Amino acid sequence: MQQLTDLVARARADADGIGGGATSRVIPIQPALPLTASEGEVARILQICNACRYCEGFCAVFPAMTRRLEFGKADTHYLANLCHNCGACLHACQYAPPHEFAVNVPQAMAQVRMQTYHDYAWPPAMGALYQRAGLTVALALAGGLALFLVLAVAISGSLLHEPLAGNFYAIFPHNFLALVFGAVFLFVMFALAMGVRRFWREVSPSRDNVPAEVTGVRGAASAEAAQDALRLKYLGGGHGEGCNNEDDRFTLWRRRFHHFTFYGFMLCFASTCVATLYHYLFSLHAPYALTSLPVLLGTAGGIGLVVGPVGLLCLNLRRDPAHGDVAQRPMDRGFIALLLLTSLTGLALLAWRDTPFMALLLAVHLGVVMALFLTLPYGKFAHGIFRSAALLKFAIEKRLPNRLQLGAD
C-alpha cells in the first residue's frame, strides 16, 4: 500500500511540475508542424493502408509505412519520394475510387512530391519555378538562348562559312565555353546538393534512431540504395511485371525508357569528362575523330537520349490521369522536350560538323544545353535526386530494429 501511495504522490509531483522551469520533471510535448492539404491526404490514405496491408509487398513504401502509426510532415515527404508512381497499388486497392474512402496512393504521393521540390529548393525563392517549369517555358528558354547565340555568331562573323573540319573553337573559344558552362554546372550541382541536404536533414534516420546504429549500417545500406536506384527496381511494380500506364495492364517499357534516358545522359556526361581529360591532361584538343572515345560515348548517349525521351513522352501522353498528378505533366513534358532537343541537336551537329552549317548548329545546340542545365535544379530532374535519398533512408531504416513490431520488412 505504501508503494502505491508513493507512486500517486510522485505522479502528482510530476503533474505539478509541468511548466515549472528548471525543476520540471515532465518534458512538454512540442506541437507538430501543421500539414498542408496534400500532406494531410497522404496521412489519411496511409492510415487506411496501414490497417489493410494488402499491398505490403508491392514496393518500398508499404514496409516503410508499417514502421509508423502516425504520419507527420517529414514522414509524408519521405514516403512520397520513396513512391515510384508505378500505379500497381491503385489497381489492387479495394478502397480506390469510386469507393467512399477514395484511396489513390500514386496521385496523393505525386502531389506531395511536387511540394517537396518546391519546399527544399535552393535558393528558396526559386522554388516557385517548379510551378512554371512547363513545356512552353522550357521551349521558350531554349529558343531564346539559342537565338542569342545565333545572333552573337552572326554579328561576329557569318552563320554560313567554309568548312572548319569540326573545329568548334573557331566559333566559340574554348576558355569562353569552359568558363560559362563550368559556372552553370557548379551552380546546378550546388543548388541540387543544398536542396537534398535540407530534405535529408528533415527525414534522416538519425532523428528517430540511435546515431551509432545508423552509422553501423550505412555502408551496406548505401550499396543497396545505389543498386536499387540504378536498376530502377521499384518500377517493376513489386512483382517484376512493370508499371500500369493507361489501364490495369502491366508494362516494363516505363522502366526501359527510363534506363535509356538515364544512361544516355550519363554517357553524354562521360563523353564531356573524357574530352576534358584529353584537353587538359593529354593536350589532345578537339575536334576528335569519329572513332575516338569522346565521340563514341557521346553518340551512344545521344541515341539513348532520343529513344528514352520519345518513349517516355508517348507513355506520358497515354497515361491514365488517376496514376499521378495531372498538374505536373507540363513539367514532365518540358524536361523530356529539353532532353530530346539536346540529343537531336547534338547528333545533328556531329553529322554536319564539317559543313558550312556548323556555326548555326553549334549555336542552337549550346543554347538548348544551357537551357537544360539551368532548369535541372527546378524541374523534373530533381525527382531522381530526392528519390535516391529516400531509397537510402529506407535501406538504412529496414536494418534497424522495428520498435513497433507491428509488421514485417
Side-chain angles (χ1 to χ4, degrees):
M1 187 65 181
Q2 182 60 39
Q3 291 179 341
L4 178 59
T5 303
D6 291 343
L7 287 174
V8 171
R10 181 180 299 177
R12 286 175 176 170
D14 288 344
D16 293 339
I18 295 177
T23 61
S24 175
R25 297 178 58 188
V26 176
I27 301 175
I29 297 175
Q30 298 296 326
L33 293 174
L35 302 181
T36 65
S38 298
E39 293 165 349
E41 177 65 4
V42 166
R44 180 191 74 86
I45 286 175
L46 290 179
Q47 286 175 340
I48 297 172
C49 294
N50 224 350
C52 174
R53 305 282 182 94
Y54 181 79
C55 298
E56 191 170 350
F58 276 29
C59 73
V61 169
F62 297 100
M65 171 196 71
T66 64
R67 290 174 168 262
R68 293 157 175 81
L69 294 178
E70 296 180 339
F71 301 92
K73 185 179 286 286
D75 295 318
T76 62
H77 289 183
Y78 158 52
L79 294 172
N81 282 281
L82 193 59
C83 172
H84 284 57
N85 202 28
C86 73
C89 59
L90 175 64
H91 292 281
C93 183
Q94 60 185 321
Y95 303 119
H99 191 280
E100 61 180 335
F101 287 176
V103 172
N104 187 334
V105 174
Q107 191 170 81
M109 293 291 196
Q111 291 171 351
V112 171
R113 225 173 11 254
M114 180 68 165
Q115 180 187 322
T116 62
Y117 306 156
H118 177 280
D119 290 350
Y120 299 111
W122 188 92
M126 302 293 277
L129 292 179
Y130 281 105
Q131 300 172 353
R132 304 184 181 92
L135 179 61
T136 302
V137 172
L139 295 180
L141 179 60
L145 290 172
L147 179 60
F148 173 79
L149 292 175
V150 167
L151 291 176
V153 172
I155 292 173
S156 61
S158 174
L159 290 176
L160 299 179
H161 51 78
E162 293 297 323
L164 298 172
N167 184 12
F168 302 151
Y169 302 144
I171 308 299
F172 294 105
H174 173 269
N175 290 341
F176 168 78
L177 294 178
L179 177 63
V180 172
F181 283 90
V184 171
F185 176 77
L186 290 176
F187 170 78
V188 167
M189 292 299 100
F190 185 76
L192 288 171
M194 290 295 291
V196 77
R197 176 176 175 269
R198 294 179 61 199
F199 173 73
W200 184 255
R201 288 178 66 181
E202 178 170 311
V203 307
S204 174
S206 298
R207 292 172 59 91
D208 306 312
N209 298 278
V210 178
E213 292 181 346
V214 174
T215 302
V217 301
R218 187 168 289 163
S222 298
E224 179 183 326
Q227 184 181 39
D228 290 346
L230 294 173
R231 290 170 50 219
L232 293 176
K233 173 182 177 180
Y234 295 109
L235 285 185
H239 39 61
E241 297 179 11
C243 301
N244 302 110
N245 197 58
E246 59 265 30
D247 49 36
D248 60 354
R249 291 176 297 175
F250 297 110
T251 175
L252 284 168
W253 280 110
R254 186 160 172 254
R255 180 161 70 178
R256 291 165 182 162
F257 287 138
H258 269 88
H259 276 145
F260 272 111
T261 303
F262 174 74
Y263 288 108
F265 183 88
M266 294 307 296
L267 284 171
C268 289
F269 182 70
S271 172
T272 302
C273 292
V274 171
T276 302
L277 291 176
Y278 276 17
H279 185 91
Y280 289 106
L281 191 61
F282 302 113
S283 296
L284 298 175
H285 301 157
Y288 301 112
L290 295 177
T291 56
S292 65
L293 186 57
V295 174
L296 291 176
L297 290 172
T299 302
I303 294 172
L305 280 181
V306 171
V307 176
V310 167
L312 290 176
L313 182 59
C314 291
L315 292 177
N316 187 277
L317 292 171
R318 300 202 308 264
R319 194 155 206 213
D320 188 331
H323 288 168
D325 183 10
V326 177
Q328 295 183 34
R329 288 190 174 180
M331 180 181 71
D332 297 344
R333 294 170 186 175
F335 180 56
I336 291 172
L338 284 178
L339 286 173
L340 185 57
L341 284 175
T342 298
S343 59
L344 289 176
T345 57
L347 291 173
L349 178 60
L350 176 64
W352 286 290
R353 64 178 184 172
D354 197 17
T355 70
F357 303 101
M358 186 192 71
L360 176 61
L361 292 171
L362 178 62
V364 172
H365 177 64
L366 292 178
V368 173
V369 172
M370 180 70 76
L372 172 65
F373 271 83
L374 286 173
T375 57
L376 285 183
Y378 313 109
K380 186 65 175 179
F381 183 83
H383 85 288
I385 308 297
F386 284 88
R387 185 162 288 156
S388 297
L391 284 170
L392 176 58
K393 175 180 169 64
F394 174 67
I396 292 174
E397 190 176 66
K398 73 178 187 178
R399 287 171 165 80
L400 301 176
N402 185 355
R403 294 175 173 83
L404 293 180
Q405 296 298 323
L406 297 176
D409 288 338

